[in-house]
Amino acid sequence: MANNMRYFIGNWKMFGVPKSINILNKINTFVKLDKNHNKRYKVIITPPYTLLESYSNIFKNKRISIGAQNCYHKDNFGSNTGAISPYMVKNLGAKYIIIGHSDNRAEGDNDIILKDKVIFALKNKLKIIFCIGENKRQKLNKLTFTTLRKQLTKVLERKFEENNIIVAYEPIWSIGTGKIPQQSELQKTTKFIKKILKNIFKTKKSPKVLYGGSVDSSSIKQFTELNDIDGFLIGGASKSSKNFIDIIKNYYR
Ligand code: PGA
């Protein structure tokens, strides 16, 4: 994969029914017709569990890859009502999985649980999109770097291998609020995250680091100069094909 390959990942959260496939079809057509796509970027969409199997089948040999938004922290089968294991996710055809989204951290996912999720997801050959980010209070108390360092080092390990991990930096105060970090701040934070990751994996090159939080077709223009950012995790704006396509178009304008 080319060094400057970018990721555009759509996190649908609690959105989508079978007919929402129309959104993916339109995105897929755009990507297919974009002759620069192969060299430049990869599109991943994470629909809810209920759509993983059908969408994974439909997009098997197409331009869009499908991922899950979460999983339970045990593997295989178990007596855990309502839970979906990494093994079950893998068997539905998903290739990627988001782990550590702030929505799930807020519901009780701590570092120990998250580490188990990563271990079992990797065992099932899923690629990890690992989310980290400080909340508003931590930011105001200048605890951003301390928080991020802890979130990374408590969960990630060298043996997970850098090629299996994508990190998404999502400041919690930025998710769904329309607020975006200042460019210089974001540049510093991305560099810091990459430094920690190189340390964890003992590599010269860091795993990919994405930004997430209020990315849409207009805010994306602020990111085009920030070369250290390897892509974007997009929530709200990924639920419309037009918005999602415009994000890609405006990024490469
Ligand atoms: P947002 O969400 O783009 O709607 O801010 C991002 C996310 O939660 O991953």
Side-chain angles (χ1 to χ4, degrees), residues 11 13 101 170 174-176 213-215 233-236:
N11 175 13
K13 308 188 186 182
H101 191 280
E170 299 204 300
S174 173
I175 295 176
S214 297
V215 174
L233 183 53
I234 304 150

Side-chain angles (χ1 to χ4, degrees), residues 1-214:
M1 191 176 273
N3 204 5
N4 56 355
M5 196 77 175
R6 301 281 188 253
Y7 284 83
F8 290 87
I9 305 180
N11 175 13
W12 276 12
K13 308 188 186 182
M14 195 172 76
F15 167 84
V17 287
K19 69 177 180 207
S20 316
I21 192 83
N22 288 336
I23 300 168
L24 291 200
N25 284 333
K26 286 185 189 144
I27 297 173
N28 189 66
T29 305
F30 166 78
V31 176
K32 200 165 111 187
L33 295 175
D34 180 0
K35 55 184 184 324
N36 288 318
H37 151 249
N38 271 335
K39 284 185 277 164
R40 283 181 164 176
Y41 62 91
K42 185 164 178 54
V43 172
I44 302 165
I45 303 287
T46 65
Y49 292 128
T50 45
L51 300 172
L52 278 182
E53 182 173 26
S54 58
Y55 286 13
S56 295
N57 280 333
I58 294 166
F59 288 96
K60 204 170 197 160
N61 296 311
K62 301 234 163 63
R63 311 295 159 124
I64 296 176
S65 295
I66 301 295
Q69 297 171 17
N70 194 10
C71 62
Y72 196 64
H73 58 283
K74 286 185 196 162
D75 202 12
N76 301 317
F77 301 137
S79 49
N80 306 94
T81 306
I84 312 279
S85 70
Y87 173 75
M88 290 156 79
V89 165
K90 178 67 182 182
N91 272 271
L92 296 175
K95 300 269 188 293
Y96 293 83
I97 187 160
I98 296 177
I99 291 179
H101 191 280
S102 58
D103 288 345
N104 307 120
R105 289 179 187 263
E107 287 161 354
D109 277 11
N110 58 30
D111 295 331
I112 297 167
I113 290 176
L114 293 174
K115 196 180 192 101
D116 280 344
K117 290 188 180 192
V118 173
I119 288 171
F120 294 126
L122 286 175
K123 188 178 149 215
N124 286 285
K125 308 229 170 322
L126 293 160
K127 298 244 186 242
I128 314 289
I129 301 153
F130 184 62
C131 299
I132 57 170
E134 82 284 2
N135 63 29
K136 196 170 165 193
R137 186 182 45 78
Q138 289 160 334
K139 178 179 161 55
L140 291 175
N141 289 327
K142 305 211 178 327
L143 289 171
T144 298
F145 283 11
T146 315
T147 306
L148 300 178
R149 179 188 286 115
K150 185 172 160 292
Q151 289 173 334
L152 290 167
T153 55
K154 292 271 179 202
V155 175
L156 299 181
E157 286 185 45
R158 186 182 186 180
K159 68 172 186 211
F160 297 162
E161 294 181 11
E162 69 279 8
N163 295 334
N164 294 319
I165 311 282
I166 297 166
V167 169
Y169 168 56
E170 299 204 300
I172 297 170
W173 50 270
S174 173
I175 295 176
T177 59
K179 295 199 179 94
I180 302 247
Q182 285 172 355
Q183 293 205 2
S184 59
E185 199 181 356
L186 191 51
Q187 209 153 10
K188 263 191 240 155
T189 312
T190 313
K191 276 206 161 61
F192 175 78
I193 294 169
K194 289 197 167 180
K195 196 176 98 190
I196 303 274
L197 288 170
K198 283 192 264 186
N199 233 323
I200 294 173
F201 291 105
K202 308 282 178 245
T203 46
K204 285 215 176 70
K205 231 183 86 210
S206 159
K208 299 275 184 193
V209 176
L210 320 185
Y211 169 78
S214 297

